[in-house]
Every structure is written in C-alpha cells, then in structure tokens.
Amino acid sequence: PLHVHLGDNHYLDGVDITPDQIYFWSNQTKQSPKTSALSPYEAQLYLINALRKAEDILCFTISEKMSSCCSVMYTTAAEMDALDRVHIIDSGNLSSGIALQILAAADMIKEGMSCQEILNRLEELKTKRDNIVQNSYERILRLKRAFPTLKSEQISNFLKNREKRGE
C-alpha cells in the first residue's frame, strides 16, 4: 500500500484509511492528498509475507513515470532474488487504470490462466491501450491544425460523437 499524506497526518492506503475517508478529507479541506512509495524495507516485509501465501505474485504499480513505486518493488524483489516469482507490472497508469488491469488479471486467474499467460495478455492489453492513446492524440492534433480556434471541449464532443457513430 502507498503512504497517504493528508496534511500533517500519515496513513497506509487501505490499511489505516479508506478511499471514502480520503475523498471526505479532500472535499472538506479542498486539498489533494499526497502519496509516497513504500520504503525498500517495507516492500521487503510485504513481499516476504506475500511469498509465504502464493507461488507467484503479480505486483501492479503506479506508472514508473509518475512514482518510484515500480522501482522500489523491482529493486526489492531483485535483492531478494525473487524476480522468478514476483512479477512487477508497471501499469502505466494511476488508480483507476491500475484497478482495471487488476480486475482483468483476476478474471484471467479465475479462467485458470497461468502466470505467464496472464503476463503476456496484460502486455497485449497495454500495447493496445498505448495504440489507442496514440491514435487519439494524433486525431486531436489533426483537428487542432485544421481548426485552430476549436476549444478542447468542442474537440472532445466531436470525438465522442464519432465514437458513438463507430467512426
């Protein structure tokens, strides 16, 4: 779990505080919570405990571009000589993007897929997502070049309508 910092108070996400409590605090204070990764020591304790319970661990992390979580978990697993059992997955996302990947992996586990099959499928999904994002970005750039006075909201509505029509 991430460390969550709400003003001067510090919590472990999902352990000492719930998402509802974080949203409540944020709404009351009009501030955004801050987060920080586990320390290498905390990551090691977490992985030791998880490895006692499971043969393989799928460890989803916040995008490596946005957080040190991925690096901390990978380095810790490597130092424990456990990379054959601990599979660090850079989600390339934040909260809901990670959640969707975890839910997809859970479905794959229920279907009886092996760890390697799940990793391969997650990589396919990530590639597909990256292509969709790139294509959307290119569409937006083309629209902005063709219609420089368009506002972002107008572009968004245009793209949503095209999507509804299946274009």
Side-chain angles (χ1 to χ4, degrees), residues 125-142:
L125 292 172
K126 184 177 177 185
T127 300
K128 190 178 207 179
R129 181 207 65 218
D130 290 348
N131 289 339
I132 290 168
V133 169
Q134 182 62 36
N135 290 340
S136 298
Y137 178 71
E138 288 169 3
R139 276 190 197 168
I140 291 168
L141 285 180
R142 283 195 304 270

Side-chain angles (χ1 to χ4, degrees), residues 1 4 8 23 30 32 50 52 65 89 102 113 133 146 148 161 163 166:
V4 178
D8 293 332
Y23 293 129
K30 306 296 184 224
S32 294
R52 286 185 185 138
K65 296 175 183 173
I89 300 162
I102 291 169
M113 293 175 74
V133 169
N161 288 332
E163 198 172 289

